[in-house]
Amino acid sequence: MTQTMTDAAAATDPARDAVPAAAPGKRSRWRIAALTVGALLFLFPFYYMIVGSLQKNPDTSLGGVLPMPGNLGLDNYIEINAAVNLGRTLLNSIIFTAGVVTGTLVFGVLAGYALAQLHYRGRGTLFAAMLLLQVIPFQLFIIPLYVQIVRSYGLADSYLGMILPFAINSVAVFIFRQFFLQLPEQLFEAARIDGASELRILRSIALPLVRPALLTATMLTFIGPWNEFLWPFLVTKQADKQPLAVALANYISTVAAAADNPYGAILAGACVLAAPAVALFIAFQRHFVSAELGSGVKG
């Protein structure tokens, strides 16, 4: 009887029920605080890069983190623009990157669909060979690629010469293959019964359902050619065909020593180089959510 009354009192005690409820809220506040500190540490290099690019007189001390308003201006951007022509080099980077992204998406979608949905002899062996290519560094192919593209094809100082080695990306092929494998087989079987060709199935059924894969492949591919230095540096000798990353490297090695504020000018160029990639990620990050693939199948 006494034990029963004790259990009933414990069950109706509001103070005892309130104690466990407060613990999750406290843990949540600690998580938010830790994530906030981590985000600030991650953003600090970007903040320091922007502040350094705006400083008229460089200040590498701790006081430079909070600069005086009178020491801020766009002088470094004007100087780097006069040295490397930011408009022209940015256009070169955009053309180079757009060509690589386009080739990656077109060939990646076709190859990924063939490896995922078409049944033919040697499909597994071909996929394994494609995965092995990711183990081989690109630097090992530079000499034969240079001989073939520059000497055999005569594509030096051209956008096509910069784009060709990166037009097919095995990582993008792998991403598209995995997404196509997740699509319900009933969709493709029904389309084939209706007489649709494989290209029609790919264009009308598969592509609308793998939009997250298109965005993911675009983002992953964009970062590579946008920051690529070695191959464009080897292929392009004319300044009017060099992308921004190559132009900045040439500025650092030749002109920066004679500048009034070389560090500020270099940081200004780095800000211009990083801005499109950051803007693209911010604009498309909300789209990186997989669609409900099974919604197209009834029953």
Side-chain angles (χ1 to χ4, degrees):
M1 181 68 178
T2 303
Q3 182 64 28
T4 303
M5 295 178 62
T6 303
D7 295 341
T12 58
D13 189 359
R16 183 173 298 181
D17 294 339
V19 173
K26 187 175 181 180
R27 289 196 298 268
S28 178
R29 287 193 297 269
W30 277 108
R31 292 194 192 99
I32 294 175
L35 292 174
T36 302
V37 172
L40 292 176
L41 292 176
F42 176 78
L43 292 174
F44 179 76
F46 294 94
Y47 166 78
Y48 191 81
M49 180 174 64
I50 295 173
V51 169
S53 69
L54 295 173
Q55 287 181 346
K56 298 178 181 178
N57 298 314
D59 186 1
T60 57
S61 64
L62 292 178
V65 178
L66 299 174
M68 299 297 295
N71 192 33
L72 299 179
L74 298 177
D75 298 350
N76 296 320
Y77 290 90
I78 297 174
E79 181 175 348
I80 193 66
N81 181 53
V84 302
N85 192 352
L86 289 177
R88 182 63 189 179
T89 54
L90 270 177
L91 179 62
N92 294 336
S93 295
I94 291 173
I95 295 174
F96 172 43
T97 304
V100 172
V101 170
T102 302
T104 297
L105 294 181
V106 172
F107 294 114
V109 166
L110 294 175
Y113 181 82
L115 291 172
Q117 296 298 331
L118 301 183
H119 301 282
Y120 52 90
R121 181 177 298 178
R123 185 180 67 167
T125 304
L126 182 61
F127 178 65
M130 186 205 70
L131 292 180
L132 288 177
L133 289 177
Q134 301 183 30
V135 182
I136 304 175
F138 174 75
Q139 289 77 7
L140 293 179
F141 297 105
I142 283 183
I143 294 178
L145 281 175
Y146 183 86
V147 172
Q148 184 176 14
I149 291 177
V150 175
R151 296 186 179 181
S152 300
Y153 298 160
L155 295 177
D157 290 312
S158 66
Y159 296 120
L160 187 59
M162 289 190 291
I163 293 171
L164 277 182
F166 304 97
I168 300 178
N169 191 326
S170 59
V171 176
V173 175
F174 176 79
I175 292 174
F176 285 118
R177 175 186 179 273
Q178 297 306 114
F179 269 82
F180 284 132
L181 285 176
Q182 296 176 14
L183 298 178
E185 285 288 343
Q186 294 89 335
L187 291 174
F188 301 97
E189 293 174 0
R192 293 187 181 103
I193 292 175
D194 291 340
S197 64
E198 294 298 334
L199 287 178
R200 178 66 183 276
I201 296 174
L202 174 62
R203 183 180 69 252
S204 302
I205 297 176
L207 281 182
L209 295 177
V210 294
R211 187 176 300 175
L214 293 173
L215 295 173
T216 302
T218 300
M219 282 296 300
L220 292 177
T221 307
F222 176 87
I223 298 299
W226 186 260
N227 295 324
E228 180 63 29
F229 165 76
L230 184 57
W231 179 252
F233 175 76
L234 294 175
V235 175
T236 59
K237 301 304 179 184
Q238 300 178 6
D240 59 346
K241 289 295 176 63
Q242 292 178 344
L244 182 55
V246 177
L248 285 178
N250 290 334
Y251 173 81
I252 293 173
S253 60
T254 58
V255 187
D260 296 333
N261 184 5
Y263 298 106
I266 294 171
L267 289 177
C271 288
V272 176
L273 182 63
V278 175
L280 185 68
F281 177 78
I282 294 175
F284 289 102
Q285 65 172 347
R286 65 188 183 90
H287 296 285
F288 289 106
V289 179
S290 296
E292 183 59 43
L293 301 179
S295 60
V297 181
K298 295 182 181 181

